[in-house]
Amino acid sequence: MESGVGLILIAVAAIVGGVAGFIIARLRSRDDDRDAKLLNLQKEYDEYRANVRNHFIETVSAIGRIDEQQRKLYQSVAQGVTELCQPDKGDDDYFIEQTMQTLGQLEPPKKDQKNLSESS
């Protein structure tokens, strides 16, 4: 009879061991899936950050080009007013005054502000 109890204990131990092994294997599988998902999310996040960085670099570059164009336009108008309207003769005082007021509302880029105020 003792050998029957021993066999039952061995069978129960084998079943418990099998169930425990199955549970551990499932948990490891879940961990592997979770790790793969985390790596995928990290990769997506890194790509997103790179895209945002590139976008801001392009935006700053575009703003720089716009600033340069505004500076050239401002210089051209200021030069045209002083050279073409001949402010010394007083013929176009109203036009010159209105143009300079309009230009005064536009703040010239800082590096050229001194040059423009000297030519006015």
Side-chain angles (χ1 to χ4, degrees):
M1 184 110 170
E2 287 184 23
S3 66
V5 173
L7 287 175
I8 293 175
L9 287 176
I10 291 174
V12 169
I15 292 172
V16 170
V19 170
F22 177 76
I23 290 173
I24 290 172
R26 291 282 298 185
L27 290 175
R28 278 200 175 168
S29 174
R30 284 185 185 172
D31 287 345
D32 291 344
D33 289 345
R34 189 176 316 135
D35 289 345
K37 287 178 183 177
L38 285 174
L39 288 174
N40 190 31
L41 285 174
Q42 183 66 46
K43 180 182 174 186
E44 288 178 18
Y45 177 70
D46 291 343
E47 289 174 1
Y48 173 77
R49 285 180 53 112
N51 288 339
V52 168
R53 183 178 185 277
N54 289 336
H55 171 72
F56 279 113
I57 289 171
E58 291 171 7
T59 301
V60 167
S61 177
I63 289 171
R65 289 190 302 270
I66 290 170
D67 187 48
E68 179 67 21
Q69 291 171 348
Q70 178 195 8
R71 185 182 60 76
K72 287 180 181 179
L73 177 63
Y74 186 91
Q75 287 177 335
S76 175
V77 171
Q79 182 180 4
V81 166
T82 56
E83 291 178 4
L84 300 175
C85 293
Q86 300 175 354
D88 298 339
K89 293 184 179 180
D91 296 337
D92 296 323
D93 286 343
Y94 177 76
F95 176 73
I96 292 170
E97 181 181 321
Q98 292 299 314
T99 303
M100 288 306 200
Q101 283 180 359
T102 301
L103 287 175
Q105 293 172 2
L106 301 174
E107 184 177 328
K110 297 197 185 327
K111 61 183 170 186
D112 294 326
Q113 193 169 10
K114 183 177 178 183
N115 294 339
L116 291 174
S117 62
E118 290 173 359
S119 67
S120 298

